Amino acid sequence: MLINEMKKINIKKKKILMRLDLNVPIKKNKITSYARINSSLPTIKFALKQNAKIIILSHLGRPQEGKYEKKYSLLPIVKYLKKKLQNTVIHFSNKIKNNIQIKYGEILVLENVRFNKGEKKNCKKLSKQYANLCDIFVMDAFGTSHRIEASTYGVGMFAKISCAGPLLISEIKSLKKAIKNPKKPVVTILGGSKISTKFNILKNLAKISDFVIVGGGIANTFLAINYYVGNSIFEKNFIHSAKILKEKYNIFIPIDCKVKNKKNECITKPSHKILNNEEIMDIGEKSIKKIQKIIKNAKTIIWNGPIGVFELQDFRLGTEKISHAIANNKEAFSIAGGGDTLAVIEMFNIKKKISYISTGGGAFLEFIEKKTLPAIQMLQLKYLQKKSI
């Protein structure tokens, strides 16, 4: 792979700008999953051992660009980093300054990059501002590698030296290994609220999969081809596209569902009997049993997203049973990715039973589909530019 790697270049006593993926779920000002932060800690610790000056960039959630919103502040993450790196001085700032004063072996975390105007549009001016902060730019946020933004792409193009961090390298190598020659049967489990955001990936994964199991709003859109789905989340504009996929590929649609009615009661009923005042929240026991059999026979499992509203106790069973089915298939190579998927893995304590866990969601799926990502292409371009000088 023709890219510079952080561990293979001299970063000793250099000013390092790291783009990490610290986009963790936060509820009531408390982090509910530390997986992505913990995955980035080895990269931070490696740079600290080299006595580097470290500046960290990350996004959190989807705030309105250019506007500060307290609920999207990185402050809870900074507090967690201080707890995990107790002997390290960690500063926190919402200002991008070229003359930032930090000492060797110290860390500065800059506020949520999505508070900065021009971030999502890959603004040249903002990209240059980021690049001017450092001697070396380290891209180690696999979860945002599919986005062409100022902190993921533009900064790398303008930095003197750009390289991939160890987490990004690990993600690329592991995913390439998983998708190069997957053992069959291949089973894909794809959850989520919107089929529109995952349709192209769903289509491409269906081509390489023997079975595709859909959950959440994606499953509801497939159900809406033939049935009423009541107050459930689904996308009317994608029903026809879903119908074409269903006719062409082996896509498993839930045969029964757990619904919430107007009295907020939890009821299990056949998928074809959903009433107008009911909302599908999970799959039923009959669907669970059929899916368990499919997973049991799988040799490769690609998993992204929960099957139902797992955050609520009454609608957790589908996700719980299927996640354990994946974990208990010792013959299969299982790869899992996505923020909600990481939360599920933590909730049911199955981390050690999953072959490979990716920190990315959209990036995880896009890499499987396209075998590369924009940030990786940027790093390859920078490598070639340096070689030609």
Side-chain angles (χ1 to χ4, degrees):
M1 189 161 38
L2 299 176
I3 56 176
N4 285 316
E5 296 183 30
M6 176 187 174
K7 286 195 171 183
K8 293 181 180 179
I9 61 175
N10 180 21
I11 65 166
K12 194 171 183 179
K13 289 198 172 183
K14 302 288 185 182
K15 190 181 281 186
I16 308 296
L17 180 67
M18 291 182 180
R19 178 50 163 105
L20 305 178
D21 184 6
L22 308 179
N23 182 34
V24 294
I26 296 177
K27 291 183 180 178
K28 295 181 180 179
N29 212 36
K30 289 186 177 180
I31 299 169
T32 58
S33 172
Y34 300 97
R36 281 179 172 160
I37 307 175
N38 291 338
S39 294
S40 294
L41 285 174
T43 304
I44 297 170
K45 289 177 180 178
F46 178 81
L48 286 172
K49 284 182 180 179
Q50 302 301 312
N51 207 21
K53 295 180 180 181
I54 303 166
I55 303 169
I56 293 173
L57 297 176
S58 180
H59 77 285
L60 178 66
R62 298 184 178 183
Q64 183 180 334
E65 193 172 286
K67 182 182 177 183
Y68 173 84
E69 292 181 68
K70 187 179 178 181
K71 68 177 179 177
Y72 294 118
S73 173
L74 292 183
L75 185 58
I77 293 159
V78 173
K79 289 179 179 178
Y80 181 70
L81 286 173
K82 285 182 177 180
K83 184 179 175 182
K84 298 297 286 186
L85 304 167
Q86 290 184 1
N87 298 320
T88 304
V89 176
I90 302 176
H91 308 276
F92 184 47
S93 176
N94 63 350
K95 293 180 181 179
I96 305 169
K97 294 180 180 178
N98 291 348
N99 59 345
I100 290 173
Q101 298 299 313
I102 57 171
K103 297 176 182 177
Y104 293 113
E106 292 185 351
I107 297 171
L108 169 66
V109 181
L110 290 176
E111 185 56 284
N112 192 337
V113 293
R114 290 188 177 170
F115 290 162
N116 302 327
K117 280 189 176 181
E119 166 62 22
K120 295 190 80 172
K121 291 184 178 180
N122 192 31
C123 169
K124 186 181 285 189
K125 182 180 177 182
L126 181 60
S127 298
K128 286 182 176 180
Q129 279 184 289
Y130 289 145
N132 289 336
L133 296 175
C134 65
D135 301 312
I136 300 167
F137 171 66
V138 177
M139 179 58 184
D140 208 31
F142 176 79
T144 60
S145 294
H146 61 314
R147 302 188 186 279
I148 302 175
E149 298 177 346
S151 69
T152 62
Y153 190 94
V155 55
M157 293 303 297
F158 291 110
K160 297 166 194 168
I161 299 172
S162 296
C163 62
L167 180 58
L168 181 60
I169 294 294
S170 175
E171 292 268 12
I172 295 168
K173 288 181 177 178
S174 298
L175 288 173
K176 277 188 174 182
K177 179 184 175 182
I179 62 178
K180 191 174 182 181
N181 291 302
K183 287 185 179 180
K184 288 184 169 289
V186 177
V187 175
T188 292
I189 298 121
L190 198 62
S193 59
K194 291 184 177 182
I195 193 172
S196 58
T197 59
K198 294 183 177 180
F199 184 78
N200 289 334
I201 292 164
L202 174 59
K203 185 178 177 180
N204 280 283
L205 284 170
K207 292 176 184 177
I208 65 167
S209 301
D210 297 282
F211 292 94
V212 176
I213 297 161
V214 290
I218 297 174
N220 296 342
T221 302
F222 279 97
L223 285 171
I225 296 168
N226 298 312
Y227 310 133
Y228 292 110
V229 292
N231 292 325
S232 311
I233 295 170
F234 78 106
E235 291 181 274
K236 189 176 181 180
N237 293 339
F238 274 81
I239 291 175
H240 179 68
S241 299
K243 185 175 184 289
I244 293 170
L245 276 188
K246 186 173 179 287
E247 290 170 351
K248 194 171 182 179
Y249 300 107
N250 202 354
I251 298 174
F252 180 85
I253 315 299
I255 56 175
D256 61 342
C257 305
K258 284 191 176 182
V259 303
K260 180 176 72 175
N261 63 17
K262 60 181 179 181
K263 294 180 181 178
N264 281 331
E265 295 170 323
C266 172
I267 303 169
T268 301
K269 59 195 313 184
S271 299
H272 64 277
K273 290 188 177 181
I274 310 299
L275 301 178
N276 286 337
N277 60 6
E278 294 173 336
E279 183 179 0
I280 299 170
M281 304 287 279
D282 195 7
I283 60 173
E285 284 82 357
K286 289 181 180 178
S287 296
I288 290 171
K289 286 179 180 179
K290 283 187 173 292
I291 294 170
Q292 284 174 323
K293 286 182 180 178
I294 293 169
I295 292 171
K296 188 177 181 180
N297 294 320
K299 289 292 185 286
T300 302
I301 301 169
I302 300 167
W303 176 25
N304 177 265
I307 292 298
V309 187
F310 73 98
E311 297 92 342
L312 302 177
Q313 182 69 46
D314 287 342
F315 306 106
R316 185 174 295 166
L317 189 65
T319 300
E320 181 178 4
K321 291 286 187 180
I322 287 165
S323 63
H324 281 296
I326 296 166
N328 292 333
N329 185 339
K330 295 177 182 178
E331 300 297 318
F333 186 91
S334 54
I335 51 175
D340 285 337
T341 315
L342 295 178
V344 169
I345 289 167
E346 284 190 320
M347 179 180 284
F348 301 126
N349 194 29
I350 57 172
K351 184 178 179 180
K352 292 180 180 179
K353 294 184 177 181
I354 305 297
S355 306
Y356 183 75
I357 299 171
S358 171
T359 56
F364 163 77
L365 292 172
E366 194 169 314
F367 186 86
I368 289 173
E369 177 194 353
K370 298 179 179 178
K371 314 295 187 292
T372 189
L373 296 169
I376 297 170
Q377 292 172 323
M378 174 272 293
L379 290 169
Q380 290 172 326
L381 185 60
K382 285 290 286 188
Y383 177 89
L384 292 173
Q385 286 177 347
K386 195 75 176 176
K387 285 288 182 181
S388 65
I389 296 173

